[in-house]
Coordinates of all heavy atoms in Angstrom, one line a residue:
M1 N 20.7 -6.2 2.7 CA 20.1 -5.9 3.9 C 18.7 -5.3 3.7 O 18.5 -4.5 2.8 CB 21.0 -4.8 4.6 CG 20.6 -4.5 5.9 SD 21.8 -3.5 6.8 CE 21.0 -1.9 6.7
R2 N 17.8 -5.7 4.5 CA 16.4 -5.3 4.4 C 16.1 -4.2 5.5 O 16.6 -4.3 6.6 CB 15.5 -6.4 4.5 CG 15.7 -7.4 3.4 CD 15.0 -8.7 3.6 NE 13.6 -8.6 3.2 CZ 12.7 -9.6 3.4 NH1 13.1 -10.8 3.9 NH2 11.5 -9.4 3.1
T3 N 15.3 -3.2 5.1 CA 15.0 -2.1 6.1 C 13.5 -2.2 6.3 O 12.7 -2.2 5.4 CB 15.5 -0.8 5.5 OG1 16.8 -0.8 5.2 CG2 15.2 0.3 6.5
F4 N 13.2 -2.2 7.6 CA 11.8 -2.2 8.0 C 11.5 -1.0 8.9 O 12.3 -0.6 9.7 CB 11.4 -3.4 8.8 CG 11.4 -4.6 7.9 CD1 12.5 -5.4 7.7 CD2 10.2 -5.1 7.3 CE1 12.5 -6.5 6.9 CE2 10.1 -6.2 6.6 CZ 11.3 -6.9 6.3
I5 N 10.4 -0.3 8.6 CA 9.9 0.8 9.4 C 8.5 0.5 9.9 O 7.6 0.4 9.0 CB 10.0 2.2 8.7 CG1 11.5 2.4 8.2 CG2 9.5 3.3 9.5 CD1 11.6 3.6 7.3
G6 N 8.3 0.4 11.2 CA 7.0 0.2 11.7 C 6.4 -1.1 11.1 O 5.2 -1.2 10.9
G7 N 7.2 -2.1 10.8 CA 6.7 -3.4 10.3 C 6.6 -3.4 8.8 O 6.2 -4.5 8.3
H8 N 6.8 -2.3 8.1 CA 6.7 -2.3 6.7 C 8.1 -2.2 6.1 O 9.0 -1.5 6.5 CB 6.0 -1.0 6.2 CG 4.6 -1.0 6.8 ND1 3.5 -1.7 6.2 CD2 4.0 -0.3 7.8 CE1 2.4 -1.5 6.9 NE2 2.7 -0.6 7.8
E9 N 8.3 -3.0 5.0 CA 9.6 -3.0 4.4 C 9.8 -1.8 3.4 O 8.9 -1.5 2.6 CB 9.8 -4.3 3.6 CG 11.2 -4.4 3.0 CD 11.5 -5.8 2.3 OE1 10.5 -6.5 2.2 OE2 12.6 -6.0 1.9
A10 N 10.9 -1.1 3.5 CA 11.2 -0.1 2.6 C 12.2 -0.6 1.5 O 13.3 -1.0 1.8 CB 11.9 1.1 3.3
V11 N 11.7 -0.8 0.3 CA 12.5 -1.4 -0.8 C 13.1 -0.3 -1.7 O 13.9 -0.7 -2.5 CB 11.7 -2.4 -1.6 CG1 11.3 -3.6 -0.7 CG2 10.4 -1.7 -2.2
S12 N 12.8 1.0 -1.5 CA 13.3 2.0 -2.3 C 13.5 3.2 -1.5 O 12.9 3.3 -0.3 CB 12.5 2.3 -3.5 OG 11.3 2.9 -3.1
A13 N 14.2 4.2 -2.0 CA 14.3 5.5 -1.2 C 13.0 6.1 -1.0 O 12.7 6.7 0.0 CB 15.3 6.4 -2.0
N14 N 12.1 6.1 -2.0 CA 10.8 6.7 -1.9 C 10.0 6.0 -0.8 O 9.2 6.6 0.0 CB 10.0 6.6 -3.2 CG 10.3 7.9 -4.1 OD1 11.0 8.8 -3.6 ND2 9.8 7.9 -5.2
D15 N 10.1 4.6 -0.8 CA 9.4 3.9 0.3 C 9.9 4.3 1.7 O 9.1 4.5 2.6 CB 9.7 2.3 0.2 CG 8.9 1.7 -1.0 OD1 8.0 2.3 -1.5 OD2 9.2 0.5 -1.3
F16 N 11.2 4.5 1.8 CA 11.7 4.8 3.1 C 11.2 6.2 3.5 O 10.8 6.4 4.7 CB 13.3 4.9 3.0 CG 14.0 5.3 4.3 CD1 14.1 4.4 5.3 CD2 14.4 6.6 4.5 CE1 14.7 4.8 6.5 CE2 14.9 7.0 5.7 CZ 15.1 6.1 6.7
V17 N 11.3 7.2 2.6 CA 10.8 8.5 2.9 C 9.3 8.5 3.3 O 8.8 9.1 4.2 CB 11.0 9.5 1.8 CG1 10.4 10.8 2.0 CG2 12.6 9.7 1.6
E18 N 8.5 7.8 2.5 CA 7.1 7.7 2.7 C 6.8 7.1 4.1 O 5.9 7.5 4.9 CB 6.4 6.9 1.6 CG 4.9 6.9 1.8 CD 4.2 6.2 0.5 OE1 4.7 6.3 -0.6 OE2 3.1 5.6 0.8
L19 N 7.5 6.0 4.4 CA 7.3 5.4 5.7 C 7.7 6.2 6.9 O 7.1 6.3 7.9 CB 8.0 4.0 5.7 CG 7.3 2.9 4.9 CD1 8.2 1.7 4.7 CD2 6.0 2.5 5.4
A20 N 8.8 6.9 6.7 CA 9.3 7.8 7.7 C 8.4 9.0 7.9 O 8.2 9.4 9.1 CB 10.7 8.3 7.3
L21 N 7.9 9.6 6.9 CA 7.0 10.7 7.0 C 5.5 10.3 7.3 O 4.8 11.1 7.9 CB 6.9 11.5 5.7 CG 8.2 12.2 5.2 CD1 8.0 12.8 3.9 CD2 8.6 13.2 6.2
G22 N 5.1 9.1 6.9 CA 3.8 8.7 7.1 C 2.9 9.2 6.0 O 1.6 9.1 6.1
T23 N 3.4 9.9 5.0 CA 2.6 10.4 3.9 C 3.5 10.1 2.6 O 4.7 10.1 2.6 CB 2.4 11.9 3.9 OG1 3.7 12.6 3.9 CG2 1.6 12.3 5.2
P24 N 2.8 10.0 1.5 CA 3.5 9.9 0.2 C 4.3 11.1 -0.2 O 3.8 12.3 0.1 CB 2.4 9.6 -0.9 CG 1.1 9.9 -0.2 CD 1.3 10.0 1.2
V25 N 5.5 11.0 -0.7 CA 6.3 12.1 -1.1 C 5.6 13.0 -2.1 O 5.7 14.2 -2.1 CB 7.6 11.6 -1.8 CG1 8.4 12.7 -2.4 CG2 8.4 10.7 -0.8
E26 N 4.8 12.4 -3.0 CA 4.0 13.2 -4.0 C 3.1 14.2 -3.4 O 2.8 15.2 -4.0 CB 3.2 12.2 -4.9 CG 4.1 11.3 -5.8 CD 4.6 10.1 -5.0 OE1 4.1 9.8 -3.9 OE2 5.5 9.4 -5.5
L27 N 2.6 13.9 -2.1 CA 1.8 14.9 -1.5 C 2.5 16.2 -1.3 O 1.9 17.3 -1.4 CB 1.3 14.4 -0.1 CG 0.5 15.4 0.7 CD1 -0.9 15.6 0.1 CD2 0.3 14.9 2.1
W28 N 3.7 16.2 -1.0 CA 4.5 17.4 -0.8 C 5.2 18.0 -2.0 O 5.3 19.2 -2.2 CB 5.6 17.1 0.3 CG 5.0 16.5 1.5 CD1 5.1 15.2 1.9 CD2 4.2 17.2 2.5 NE1 4.3 15.0 3.0 CE2 3.8 16.2 3.4 CE3 3.8 18.5 2.7 CZ2 3.0 16.5 4.5 CZ3 3.0 18.8 3.7 CH2 2.6 17.8 4.7
L29 N 5.6 17.1 -3.0 CA 6.3 17.6 -4.2 C 5.4 17.7 -5.4 O 5.8 18.3 -6.3 CB 7.4 16.6 -4.4 CG 8.4 16.4 -3.3 CD1 9.5 15.4 -3.8 CD2 9.1 17.7 -2.9
G30 N 4.2 17.1 -5.3 CA 3.4 17.1 -6.5 C 3.8 16.1 -7.6 O 4.8 15.4 -7.4
V31 N 3.1 16.0 -8.6 CA 3.4 15.1 -9.7 C 3.4 15.9 -11.0 O 2.6 16.8 -11.2 CB 2.5 13.9 -9.8 CG1 2.7 13.0 -8.6 CG2 1.1 14.2 -9.9
E32 N 4.2 15.5 -12.0 CA 4.2 16.1 -13.3 C 2.9 16.0 -13.9 O 2.3 14.9 -13.9 CB 5.3 15.5 -14.1 CG 5.6 16.2 -15.4 CD 6.8 15.7 -16.1 OE1 7.7 15.2 -15.5 OE2 6.8 15.8 -17.4
G33 N 2.4 17.1 -14.5 CA 1.2 17.0 -15.3 C -0.1 17.1 -14.4 O -1.2 17.0 -14.9
E34 N 0.0 17.4 -13.1 CA -1.2 17.5 -12.3 C -2.0 18.7 -12.7 O -1.4 19.8 -13.1 CB -0.9 17.5 -10.8 CG -0.3 18.7 -10.3 CD 0.1 18.6 -8.8 OE1 -0.3 17.7 -8.1 OE2 0.7 19.5 -8.3
S35 N -3.3 18.6 -12.6 CA -4.2 19.7 -13.0 C -4.2 20.8 -11.9 O -3.8 20.4 -10.7 CB -5.6 19.3 -13.3 OG -6.2 18.8 -12.1
E36 N -4.7 21.9 -12.1 CA -4.8 23.0 -11.0 C -5.8 22.4 -9.9 O -5.5 22.7 -8.7 CB -5.4 24.3 -11.6 CG -4.3 25.1 -12.4 CD -3.2 25.4 -11.5 OE1 -3.3 25.9 -10.3 OE2 -2.0 25.3 -12.0
E37 N -6.8 21.7 -10.3 CA -7.7 21.2 -9.3 C -7.0 20.1 -8.5 O -7.2 20.1 -7.2 CB -8.9 20.5 -10.0 CG -10.0 20.1 -9.1 CD -11.2 19.6 -9.9 OE1 -11.9 20.4 -10.4 OE2 -11.4 18.3 -9.8
E38 N -6.2 19.2 -9.1 CA -5.5 18.2 -8.3 C -4.4 18.9 -7.4 O -4.3 18.5 -6.3 CB -4.7 17.3 -9.2 CG -5.7 16.4 -10.0 CD -5.0 15.6 -11.2 OE1 -4.1 16.2 -11.8 OE2 -5.4 14.5 -11.4
R39 N -3.8 19.9 -7.9 CA -2.8 20.6 -7.1 C -3.5 21.3 -5.9 O -3.0 21.2 -4.8 CB -2.1 21.7 -7.9 CG -1.0 22.5 -7.2 CD -0.3 23.4 -8.1 NE 0.8 24.1 -7.5 CZ 0.8 25.1 -6.7 NH1 -0.4 25.8 -6.6 NH2 1.9 25.6 -6.2
A40 N -4.6 21.9 -6.1 CA -5.3 22.6 -5.0 C -5.7 21.5 -4.0 O -5.6 21.8 -2.7 CB -6.5 23.3 -5.5
A41 N -6.2 20.4 -4.4 CA -6.7 19.4 -3.5 C -5.4 18.8 -2.7 O -5.5 18.6 -1.5 CB -7.3 18.2 -4.2
R42 N -4.3 18.7 -3.4 CA -3.1 18.2 -2.7 C -2.6 19.1 -1.7 O -2.2 18.8 -0.6 CB -2.0 17.9 -3.8 CG -0.7 17.5 -3.3 CD 0.3 17.2 -4.3 NE 0.6 18.4 -5.2 CZ 1.4 19.4 -4.9 NH1 2.0 19.4 -3.7 NH2 1.6 20.4 -5.7
L43 N -2.6 20.4 -2.0 CA -2.1 21.5 -1.1 C -3.1 21.6 0.1 O -2.6 21.8 1.2 CB -2.0 22.8 -1.8 CG -0.9 22.9 -2.8 CD1 -0.8 24.2 -3.5 CD2 0.5 22.5 -2.2
D44 N -4.4 21.4 -0.1 CA -5.3 21.4 1.0 C -5.0 20.3 2.0 O -5.1 20.5 3.2 CB -6.8 21.3 0.5 CG -7.3 22.6 -0.1 OD1 -6.8 23.7 0.2 OD2 -8.3 22.6 -0.8
A45 N -4.8 19.1 1.4 CA -4.5 17.9 2.2 C -3.2 18.2 3.0 O -3.1 17.9 4.2 CB -4.4 16.7 1.4
A46 N -2.2 18.7 2.4 CA -1.0 19.0 3.0 C -1.1 20.0 4.1 O -0.6 19.9 5.2 CB 0.1 19.6 2.0
R47 N -1.9 21.0 3.9 CA -2.2 22.0 5.0 C -2.9 21.4 6.1 O -2.6 21.7 7.3 CB -3.1 23.2 4.4 CG -2.3 24.3 3.8 CD -3.1 25.5 3.5 NE -4.0 25.3 2.3 CZ -3.6 25.4 1.1 NH1 -2.4 25.7 0.8 NH2 -4.5 25.2 0.1
D48 N -3.9 20.5 5.9 CA -4.6 19.8 6.9 C -3.6 18.9 7.8 O -3.6 18.9 9.0 CB -5.7 18.9 6.4 CG -6.9 19.6 5.9 OD1 -6.9 20.8 6.1 OD2 -7.7 19.0 5.1
I49 N -2.7 18.2 7.1 CA -1.7 17.4 7.8 C -0.8 18.3 8.7 O -0.5 17.9 9.8 CB -0.9 16.6 6.8 CG1 -1.8 15.5 6.2 CG2 0.3 15.9 7.5 CD1 -1.2 14.7 5.0
L50 N -0.3 19.4 8.1 CA 0.5 20.3 8.9 C -0.3 20.9 10.1 O 0.4 21.1 11.2 CB 1.1 21.4 8.0 CG 2.1 20.9 7.0 CD1 2.5 22.1 6.1 CD2 3.4 20.4 7.8
A51 N -1.5 21.2 9.9 CA -2.3 21.7 11.0 C -2.5 20.7 12.2 O -2.4 21.1 13.3 CB -3.7 22.2 10.5
E52 N -2.6 19.4 11.8 CA -2.7 18.4 12.8 C -1.3 18.0 13.4 O -1.3 17.4 14.4 CB -3.4 17.1 12.2 CG -4.8 17.4 11.8 CD -5.4 16.2 11.0 OE1 -4.7 15.1 10.9 OE2 -6.5 16.3 10.5
N53 N -0.3 18.2 12.7 CA 1.1 17.9 13.1 C 2.0 19.0 12.9 O 2.9 19.1 12.0 CB 1.6 16.7 12.2 CG 0.7 15.5 12.3 OD1 0.6 14.8 13.3 ND2 -0.1 15.3 11.2
P54 N 1.9 20.1 13.8 CA 2.7 21.3 13.6 C 4.2 21.0 13.7 O 5.0 21.8 13.2 CB 2.2 22.2 14.7 CG 1.5 21.4 15.7 CD 1.0 20.2 14.9
D55 N 4.7 19.9 14.4 CA 6.0 19.6 14.5 C 6.6 18.8 13.3 O 7.8 18.6 13.2 CB 6.3 18.7 15.8 CG 6.0 19.5 17.0 OD1 6.1 20.8 17.0 OD2 5.7 18.9 18.0
L56 N 5.8 18.5 12.3 CA 6.2 17.7 11.2 C 7.4 18.3 10.5 O 8.4 17.6 10.1 CB 5.1 17.4 10.2 CG 5.4 16.5 9.1 CD1 5.8 15.1 9.5 CD2 4.2 16.4 8.2
P57 N 7.4 19.6 10.1 CA 8.6 20.2 9.4 C 9.9 20.0 10.2 O 10.9 19.7 9.6 CB 8.2 21.7 9.3 CG 6.7 21.7 9.3 CD 6.3 20.6 10.3
D58 N 9.8 20.1 11.5 CA 11.0 20.0 12.3 C 11.5 18.5 12.3 O 12.7 18.2 12.2 CB 10.8 20.4 13.8 CG 10.6 21.9 13.9 OD1 11.1 22.6 13.1 OD2 10.0 22.3 14.9
V59 N 10.5 17.6 12.4 CA 10.8 16.1 12.3 C 11.4 15.8 11.0 O 12.5 15.1 10.9 CB 9.6 15.3 12.6 CG1 9.8 13.8 12.3 CG2 9.1 15.5 14.0
V60 N 10.9 16.3 9.9 CA 11.4 16.0 8.5 C 12.8 16.6 8.4 O 13.6 15.9 7.8 CB 10.4 16.6 7.5 CG1 11.0 16.6 6.1 CG2 9.1 15.9 7.5
S61 N 13.0 17.8 8.9 CA 14.4 18.4 8.8 C 15.4 17.5 9.5 O 16.5 17.3 9.0 CB 14.4 19.8 9.4 OG 13.5 20.6 8.7
R62 N 15.0 17.0 10.7 CA 16.0 16.1 11.5 C 16.2 14.8 10.7 O 17.3 14.4 10.7 CB 15.4 15.9 12.9 CG 15.6 17.0 13.8 CD 15.4 16.7 15.3 NE 14.0 16.2 15.6 CZ 13.0 17.1 15.8 NH1 13.2 18.4 15.8 NH2 11.8 16.6 16.1
V63 N 15.1 14.2 10.2 CA 15.3 13.0 9.4 C 16.2 13.3 8.2 O 17.2 12.5 7.9 CB 14.0 12.5 8.9 CG1 14.1 11.4 7.9 CG2 13.2 11.9 10.1
A64 N 16.0 14.4 7.5 CA 16.8 14.7 6.3 C 18.3 14.9 6.7 O 19.2 14.4 6.0 CB 16.2 15.9 5.6
A65 N 18.5 15.7 7.7 CA 19.8 15.9 8.2 C 20.5 14.7 8.6 O 21.7 14.4 8.3 CB 19.8 16.9 9.3
G66 N 19.8 13.8 9.3 CA 20.4 12.5 9.7 C 20.7 11.6 8.5 O 21.8 11.0 8.5
V67 N 19.9 11.6 7.5 CA 20.2 10.9 6.3 C 21.4 11.4 5.5 O 22.3 10.7 5.1 CB 19.0 10.8 5.3 CG1 19.3 10.2 4.0 CG2 17.9 10.0 6.0
I68 N 21.4 12.7 5.4 CA 22.6 13.4 4.8 C 23.9 13.1 5.5 O 24.9 12.7 5.0 CB 22.4 14.9 4.6 CG1 21.2 15.2 3.7 CG2 23.7 15.6 4.2 CD1 20.8 16.6 3.6
E69 N 23.8 13.2 6.9 CA 25.0 13.0 7.7 C 25.4 11.5 7.5 O 26.6 11.3 7.5 CB 24.7 13.3 9.1 CG 25.9 13.3 10.0 CD 25.5 13.8 11.4 OE1 24.5 13.4 11.9 OE2 26.3 14.5 12.0
A70 N 24.5 10.6 7.5 CA 24.9 9.2 7.3 C 25.4 8.8 5.9 O 26.3 8.0 5.8 CB 23.7 8.3 7.7
Y71 N 24.7 9.3 4.9 CA 25.0 8.9 3.6 C 25.8 9.9 2.7 O 26.3 9.5 1.6 CB 23.8 8.4 2.8 CG 23.1 7.2 3.5 CD1 22.0 7.4 4.4 CD2 23.6 6.0 3.4 CE1 21.5 6.4 5.0 CE2 23.1 4.9 4.0 CZ 22.0 5.1 4.9 OH 21.4 4.0 5.5
A72 N 25.8 11.1 3.0 CA 26.6 12.1 2.2 C 27.1 13.2 3.2 O 26.8 14.4 3.0 CB 25.6 12.7 1.2
P73 N 28.0 12.8 4.1 CA 28.5 13.7 5.1 C 29.2 14.9 4.5 O 29.4 16.0 5.0 CB 29.4 12.9 6.0 CG 29.7 11.7 5.2 CD 28.6 11.5 4.3
E74 N 29.8 14.7 3.3 CA 30.5 15.7 2.6 C 29.7 17.0 2.3 O 30.2 18.1 2.2 CB 31.2 15.3 1.3 CG 30.2 14.9 0.2 CD 29.6 13.5 0.3 OE1 29.8 12.8 1.3 OE2 28.8 13.2 -0.6
L75 N 28.3 16.8 2.3 CA 27.5 17.9 2.0 C 27.4 18.9 3.2 O 27.0 20.0 3.1 CB 26.0 17.4 1.7 CG 25.9 16.7 0.4 CD1 24.5 16.2 0.3 CD2 26.3 17.5 -0.7
F76 N 27.9 18.4 4.4 CA 27.9 19.3 5.6 C 29.3 20.0 5.7 O 29.5 20.8 6.6 CB 27.7 18.5 6.9 CG 26.2 18.2 7.1 CD1 25.8 16.9 7.4 CD2 25.3 19.2 7.1 CE1 24.4 16.7 7.6 CE2 23.9 19.0 7.3 CZ 23.5 17.7 7.6
N77 N 30.2 19.7 4.8 CA 31.5 20.3 4.8 C 31.4 21.7 4.1 O 31.7 21.8 2.9 CB 32.6 19.5 4.1 CG 32.8 18.2 4.9 OD1 32.6 18.2 6.1 ND2 33.3 17.2 4.3
V78 N 31.0 22.7 4.8 CA 30.8 24.0 4.2 C 31.7 25.0 4.9 O 32.1 24.8 6.1 CB 29.4 24.5 4.3 CG1 28.5 23.6 3.4 CG2 28.9 24.6 5.7
V79 N 32.1 26.0 4.3 CA 32.9 27.1 4.9 C 32.0 28.3 5.0 O 31.4 28.8 4.1 CB 34.1 27.4 3.9 CG1 34.9 28.6 4.5 CG2 35.0 26.2 3.7
P80 N 31.9 28.8 6.3 CA 31.0 30.0 6.5 C 31.6 31.2 5.7 O 32.9 31.3 5.7 CB 31.1 30.2 8.0 CG 32.0 29.3 8.6 CD 32.5 28.3 7.5
I81 N 30.8 32.0 5.1 CA 31.2 33.2 4.4 C 31.2 34.3 5.4 O 30.1 34.7 5.9 CB 30.3 33.4 3.2 CG1 30.4 32.3 2.2 CG2 30.8 34.7 2.5 CD1 29.4 32.4 1.1
G82 N 32.3 34.8 5.7 CA 32.4 36.0 6.6 C 32.7 37.3 5.9 O 33.0 37.3 4.6
R83 N 32.5 38.3 6.6 CA 32.8 39.6 6.0 C 34.3 39.9 6.0 O 35.0 39.4 6.9 CB 32.0 40.7 6.7 CG 30.6 40.6 6.6 CD 29.9 41.7 7.3 NE 28.5 41.6 7.1 CZ 27.6 42.6 7.3 NH1 28.1 43.8 7.8 NH2 26.4 42.5 7.2
H84 N 34.7 40.6 5.0 CA 36.1 41.0 4.9 C 36.4 41.9 6.1 O 35.8 42.9 6.3 CB 36.4 41.6 3.6 CG 37.9 41.9 3.4 ND1 38.5 43.0 3.9 CD2 38.8 41.1 2.7 CE1 39.8 42.9 3.5 NE2 40.0 41.8 2.8
P85 N 37.4 41.6 6.9 CA 37.7 42.4 8.2 C 37.9 43.9 7.9 O 37.4 44.7 8.6 CB 39.0 41.7 8.8 CG 39.0 40.4 8.1 CD 38.3 40.4 6.8
A86 N 38.7 44.2 6.9 CA 39.0 45.6 6.5 C 37.7 46.3 6.2 O 37.5 47.5 6.6 CB 40.0 45.7 5.4
A87 N 36.9 45.7 5.4 CA 35.6 46.4 4.9 C 34.7 46.6 6.2 O 34.0 47.6 6.3 CB 34.9 45.5 3.9
R88 N 34.7 45.7 7.1 CA 33.8 45.8 8.3 C 34.3 47.0 9.1 O 33.5 47.8 9.6 CB 33.9 44.5 9.1 CG 32.9 44.4 10.1 CD 32.8 43.1 10.9 NE 33.3 42.0 10.2 CZ 34.1 41.1 10.7 NH1 34.6 41.2 11.9 NH2 34.5 40.0 9.9
R89 N 35.6 47.2 9.3 CA 36.1 48.3 10.1 C 35.8 49.6 9.4 O 35.4 50.6 10.1 CB 37.6 48.2 10.3 CG 38.0 47.2 11.3 CD 39.5 47.3 11.6 NE 40.3 47.1 10.4 CZ 40.8 45.8 10.1 NH1 40.6 44.8 10.9 NH2 41.6 45.7 9.0
R90 N 35.8 49.7 8.1 CA 35.6 50.9 7.4 C 34.1 51.2 7.2 O 33.7 52.3 6.8 CB 36.3 50.9 6.0 CG 37.8 51.0 6.2 CD 38.4 51.3 4.8 NE 37.9 50.4 3.8 CZ 38.6 49.3 3.3 NH1 39.7 49.0 3.8 NH2 38.0 48.6 2.4
G91 N 33.3 50.1 7.3 CA 31.8 50.3 7.1 C 31.5 50.3 5.6 O 30.5 50.8 5.2
T92 N 32.4 49.8 4.7 CA 32.2 49.8 3.3 C 31.8 48.5 2.7 O 31.5 48.4 1.5 CB 33.5 50.2 2.6 OG1 34.5 49.3 2.9 CG2 33.9 51.6 3.0
F93 N 31.5 47.5 3.5 CA 31.1 46.2 2.9 C 29.7 46.3 2.4 O 28.8 46.7 3.2 CB 31.3 45.1 4.0 CG 30.9 43.8 3.4 CD1 31.8 43.1 2.6 CD2 29.7 43.2 3.8 CE1 31.5 41.8 2.1 CE2 29.4 41.9 3.3 CZ 30.3 41.2 2.5
K94 N 29.4 45.9 1.2 CA 28.1 46.0 0.6 C 27.5 44.6 0.5 O 26.5 44.4 -0.3 CB 28.2 46.7 -0.8 CG 28.8 48.0 -0.7 CD 27.7 49.0 -0.6 CE 28.2 50.4 -0.8 NZ 28.5 51.2 0.4
G95 N 28.0 43.6 1.2 CA 27.4 42.2 1.0 C 26.1 42.1 1.7 O 25.5 43.0 2.3
A96 N 25.5 40.8 1.6 CA 24.2 40.5 2.2 C 24.3 40.6 3.7 O 25.3 40.4 4.3 CB 23.8 39.2 1.8
A97 N 23.3 41.1 4.3 CA 23.2 41.3 5.8 C 23.1 39.9 6.5 O 22.5 39.0 6.0 CB 22.1 42.2 6.2

């Protein structure tokens, strides 16, 4: 099966992500061995993109959640961690707020 996004074929997972985001994955994650100057330029470009597209983090989160739900739904099978009822009544629970 072939996958096309906006008329472009996604032949790998990286292609799919790049086409979905409209930017290369390396812009956000960096590359091994990049210099401090390259990193600074990459981060400047990322800041510019985020300034022009303030909804991008929300869009990316929705895309990521949709992909996880479609291809790895077991990752959403989590059990909420609650406080122990007796400790809550006594006020002695020292867990995270």
Side-chain angles (χ1 to χ4, degrees):
M1 184 168 105
R2 298 167 81 182
T3 304
F4 290 87
I5 300 173
H8 300 280
E9 184 176 9
V11 294
S12 69
N14 274 354
D15 286 348
F16 180 80
V17 172
E18 185 172 328
L19 290 167
L21 293 177
T23 62
V25 175
E26 295 81 12
L27 175 68
W28 307 104
L29 302 179
V31 293
E32 190 173 329
E34 72 182 352
S35 69
E36 284 300 315
E37 187 175 289
E38 291 168 326
R39 182 176 188 273
R42 177 178 58 78
L43 294 176
D44 282 345
R47 275 190 286 277
D48 289 345
I49 289 170
L50 290 173
E52 293 172 9
N53 302 287
D55 294 334
L56 185 61
D58 293 335
V59 171
V60 171
S61 297
R62 283 193 296 276
V63 168
V67 169
I68 292 168
E69 189 173 42
Y71 296 102
E74 68 279 3
L75 294 177
F76 282 129
N77 292 336
V78 296
V79 177
I81 299 174
R83 294 184 176 195
H84 188 276
R88 193 175 330 133
R89 283 191 298 269
R90 290 191 310 259
T92 59
F93 183 74
K94 302 269 192 255

